Each structure stands twice: as C-alpha cells, then as structure tokens.
Amino acid sequence: MVRAIVGANWGDEGKGKITDMMAQESDVVIRFQGGANAGHTIVNNYGKFALHTLPSGVFSERTTNIIGNGVALNIPVLFNELNKVIEQGVPAPKLLISDRAQIVMPYHVLFDQYEEERLGKASFGSTKSGIAPFYSDKYAKIGFQVQELFDEEYLKEKISRVCTQKNVLLKYLYNKPEIDEEELFNTLMEYRKMVEPYVADVSLYLHNAIKEGKEILLEGQLGSLKDSDHGIYPMVTSSSTLAAYGAIGAGIPPYEIKKIVTVCKAYSSAVGAGAFVSEIFGEEADELRRRGGDGGEYGATTGRPRRMGWFDCVASKYGCRMQGATDVAFTVLDVLGYLDKIPVCVGYELDGKVITDFPTTRELEKCKPVLETLDGWKCDIRGIRSYDELPENCKKYIDFVESHIGYPITMVSNGPRREDIIYREPKI
C-alpha cells in the first residue's frame, strides 16, 4: 500500500517525526519534491537529526530510501548529510536516486543569493538554497537530469549552451563573475562519481514494489500553504507540496495513494515572509517559541526564529482539504501545557464580515483573526500513551480542533521521540 505524509500549513508541522515513526513499518520511503531548503527534525534512539534531503526512513534498516524525480537534488549536500548520519552511528542506509531527478547546480545557489540581494526589501525570504532558480530552469527545459551526467559530449555541449544565457545575466544584471564552463564540467564529473552507485530507474522499482505488495511511504516537504499553486502565492516554495504531486514526483499512478496523513501542529509557526493571520508577537510569541518544537522553534535549515501563532482552523481546514487528508496527525500538543488559556483562530474578519473558508492571498493580507479561547490543562502530558489518560481540557482542545477542521485526528504527538504518540478514535 502507498501512503503519503504531508503538511497542512506552512511547513514545520512535525512531519519528520511522523515519517520516522511510520518508516519502521515501511519497505520504501521516498522524498517526492522540494530540496534542501527545509528540514525535518527527528529524535530517536540514534540521537537528534535535522534531515534536509535524505528521506526520514534512513533510520530503519529494513527500508529502502529513494530520492524521487521531483526532488531538487543538491548532490554534495545530500552526500554530506549521508556521511554525517553514518558518523553518528546510523547503519549505512539503502539509498536509490532517480535517474530523472534534476540537479541543483552551483550557479542556482548563487543566482538565488544575487536575486534576494537585488530585490532588497521586496525579497521572498528565500533560504538561498537555489530552489527557485532550479525550478525555473527545470520548466524552461535547461535543467540537468542525473542521467545526463553519463553522456560527456552531450553534457559539454549543453553546458556551453546554458552558460551563454547565464553569463549574460551574471554580467549585465548582477555584475558578478561569469561561469567557467570547464570548471562546471569538472564539478559535474565529481557529482557523477558520487551518485553513480545509487542511480536507478525509480519509477520501475516502485512499479515492481507495488506489484509485490510492499509498504511505500511518500514524504513531502513544507505544507499546503507553501504550494506553488494553492498556497499564499507568491510567498510560496517553487514546487507542489501536495500529496497529489507525490504520484508525479515519485513516478507512480495517482490511484495507488490509499492513505494521506496530513500533519498539523497544535499551534502555528512559519519561516519566511507571507500572510499569517493568527500570528502573535512580543513576549507571548517569544515564550511559545522558546517552549515549542524540540529545543525551540527555529528553522531546521536556516536556524531563523520561526514566526509564531495560535492554531488556525481556517488555514488548517483548507490545508487538509487540498491534501485530501484521510488522517490528521496532531503534533507538539505537549508544548501548550504551560498556558492557562489557549486562543484558537476559528475565523477571519474580512471587510467587516467573518469568513471560515481560506481566501486568496490579496484578501488574506486584509484578514484579522477571530479567536475563541479554551481552558488549558496546565500539566505535562509527555509520557501518556492512552488518549483516555489525557487531561479533560486537553481532550476538549483536540475535539474542538477536529470539529472545526472537519478531518479526523487519528494520531496525537505529545513529545519529540518516536514513541511519543497516542492513537485516537476520531469523533467525526
């Protein structure tokens, strides 16, 4: 069976922990989109890890981990990450890389940095990992697929053709040094040596795995609100973050995806610019940020402090709908145990009217949160494994959120470790 794990919001929902947990019962885990511009934090018996490109199944010895064709593949970043995981005592994972995956080129990272500098105050808050220039080239059909590394004459010709275009921009738009074609070719030959033992026809591999009845897990990056089509455009990522894209980014039929676990935080957080209706500020935000996540709410890739907010039912309902959620995993609930009262955003005020459906970006930027306040439970819930043992107000909070988003909360995470999970019978 094929399952997908995706985010309902702005990313940072705790997908890494859920993937790590579900990978223990999966034969294959595949990253199907995005690049090294966001990370998944995982805490397990090997230690604490921030994965950026590696699938979160690398900690399971039974699992084959796949970089799908939809991934923005930064080859040195991937192998640096792989080496660090092994150095921390994790057995060398089984790894496959799609021969159709496209490569983040060194100049993509530079163009990302140069464009953010050029835009100044109008910048997108990019992680400067080269993701937007990479996807621009992919759809302009001047990107480089892994399979192209193995045809040297063709590669040299393509490098020359692409560099002609890139160097015009570097010279006249950014006033930066031009690309040396020979140096770039030599770099790509180094990349080839690194990936060669792992390259495979991933779509065929997955076709056979499905026929054999293997358990396959699709792992997404970021969340619904960062989707390039359905998110808070233009403050989005450059790929589709939706489970539906998992079929494309992995190379499987869409009807094979049977279960979509959509991850929501028990409060809200976001990295980067863009509309964020339930955002909070000052000491209230600082306190939640300090207590949040595992060791604070800071970007796993950038280290930037995350923007903080209360749980947003409007955004989360929309995010679950766009993902096609069959199950909701509700994470970091334990963080809220310090609060006497817990505000929840249940609607948006837009032009004097209250709405409960997520609007387009221009309207979203005019929205104000409509809050409803619930009683807190004022205790530590880590270590609890049964839903019935949770404090009454904690259960009321979960029930309240479930009723407002309209999708079944079947898992509740009450701590950073793999075993900090409570399975729940939904009420809707």
Side-chain angles (χ1 to χ4, degrees):
M1 182 172 78
V2 180
R3 301 174 294 175
I5 294 180
V6 287
N9 302 114
W10 301 264
D12 310 314
E13 300 98 344
K15 295 183 295 296
K17 180 230 170 114
I18 305 299
T19 311
D20 176 51
M21 182 190 79
M22 294 179 70
Q24 305 310 302
E25 54 193 42
S26 299
D27 300 299
V28 180
V29 176
I30 178 165
R31 270 287 304 273
F32 63 81
Q33 51 81 222
N37 55 319
H40 290 166
T41 301
I42 292 174
V43 180
N44 57 30
N45 55 317
Y46 291 109
K48 182 178 178 180
F49 302 85
L51 301 183
H52 305 279
T53 307
L54 281 176
S56 301
V58 293
F59 305 103
S60 171
E61 293 187 57
R62 65 170 284 189
T63 302
T64 298
N65 295 273
I66 294 178
I67 305 295
N69 57 275
V71 171
L73 176 59
N74 188 318
I75 291 173
V77 168
L78 170 66
F79 283 92
N80 182 53
E81 190 172 301
L82 178 63
N83 291 334
K84 282 185 177 178
V85 165
I86 294 170
E87 286 168 8
Q88 286 183 252
V90 178
K94 301 171 189 173
L95 180 66
L96 296 178
I97 297 171
S98 172
D99 51 8
R100 296 177 183 270
Q102 294 212 14
I103 302 163
V104 177
M105 305 291 278
Y107 55 76
H108 287 145
V109 178
L110 294 175
F111 273 102
D112 204 354
Q113 295 168 2
Y114 298 157
E115 183 64 5
E116 286 288 283
E117 289 170 13
R118 188 184 73 85
L119 290 171
K121 290 182 179 179
S123 68
F124 293 96
S126 168
T127 61
K128 301 177 184 177
S129 303
I131 303 304
F134 163 88
Y135 279 108
S136 295
D137 282 2
K138 178 175 181 175
Y139 293 109
K141 296 177 282 295
I142 55 171
F144 289 78
Q145 286 190 341
V146 166
Q147 52 95 8
E148 294 175 321
L149 296 176
F150 300 91
D151 186 334
E152 293 186 22
E153 290 307 310
Y154 170 84
L155 191 61
K156 287 177 182 178
E157 183 276 326
K158 186 170 183 179
I159 286 171
S160 178
R161 177 162 37 91
V162 172
C163 284
T164 298
Q165 180 193 69
K166 297 299 179 186
N167 284 337
V168 170
L169 292 171
L170 287 167
K171 184 176 182 179
Y172 294 105
L173 180 62
Y174 297 116
N175 193 30
K176 299 291 185 181
E178 296 179 34
I179 301 166
D180 183 295
E181 293 181 20
E182 185 177 354
E183 183 181 333
L184 181 59
F185 175 78
N186 291 336
T187 296
L188 293 182
M189 289 299 95
E190 290 298 314
Y191 287 4
R192 185 175 78 177
K193 289 178 188 176
M194 297 165 77
V195 300
E196 191 166 10
Y198 306 97
V199 176
D201 183 341
V202 161
S203 179
L204 178 60
Y205 178 91
L206 291 172
H207 171 77
N208 291 329
I210 290 169
K211 284 175 63 177
E212 293 165 11
K214 298 287 183 68
E215 289 290 333
I216 298 169
L217 195 57
L218 304 175
E219 179 181 10
Q221 178 214 53
L222 294 169
S224 303
L225 305 184
K226 290 292 186 179
D227 181 74
S228 52
D229 285 295
H230 298 284
I232 53 172
Y233 187 87
M235 300 303 183
V236 294
T237 193
S238 301
S239 62
S240 176
T241 60
L242 302 182
Y245 186 77
I248 300 166
I252 62 172
Y255 55 76
E256 293 292 353
I257 304 174
K258 306 299 185 187
K259 187 172 186 177
I260 300 171
V261 177
T262 304
V263 186
C264 284
K265 260 181 177 163
Y267 52 89
S268 297
S269 71
V271 170
F276 185 6
V277 176
S278 69
E279 186 170 10
I280 57 177
F281 304 92
E283 180 54 35
E284 190 174 45
D286 290 341
E287 178 78 356
L288 184 55
R289 185 180 298 111
R290 284 194 298 269
R291 292 174 176 271
D294 178 59
E297 289 286 358
Y298 300 91
T301 300
T302 63
R304 287 185 294 185
R306 291 179 179 139
R307 298 162 66 193
M308 305 305 296
W310 302 123
F311 186 86
D312 188 329
C313 293
V314 180
S316 298
K317 178 176 69 172
Y318 173 78
C320 288
R321 174 166 68 84
M322 295 313 304
Q323 295 290 8
T326 61
D327 296 74
V328 173
F330 200 46
T331 62
V332 293
L333 183 63
D334 53 297
V335 169
L336 300 180
Y338 73 98
L339 291 163
D340 291 304
K341 300 287 184 179
I342 307 175
V344 179
C345 178
V346 296
Y348 297 164
E349 184 182 325
L350 174 63
D351 297 330
K353 296 180 180 179
V354 175
I355 62 172
T356 57
D357 290 313
F358 197 72
T360 55
T361 307
R362 296 305 298 156
E363 291 182 326
L364 191 66
E365 289 168 346
K366 298 187 288 183
C367 289
K368 297 177 181 178
V370 176
L371 300 175
E372 193 165 326
T373 302
L374 281 68
D375 291 327
W377 48 93
K378 293 294 292 180
C379 66
D380 185 2
I381 61 169
R382 287 193 185 184
I384 295 175
R385 296 289 177 270
S386 167
Y387 184 75
D388 291 337
E389 294 175 13
L390 288 171
E392 196 60 32
N393 284 346
C394 185
K395 290 188 283 189
K396 286 181 179 178
Y397 184 77
I398 299 167
D399 292 346
F400 181 88
V401 166
E402 183 182 61
S403 67
H404 277 74
I405 65 173
Y407 290 87
I409 296 175
T410 59
M411 287 177 271
V412 176
S413 173
N414 61 335
R417 301 186 68 84
R418 184 185 291 162
E419 60 270 18
D420 294 330
I421 197 79
I422 299 169
Y423 293 95
R424 171 184 180 271
E425 193 67 35
K427 294 189 176 180
I428 60 170

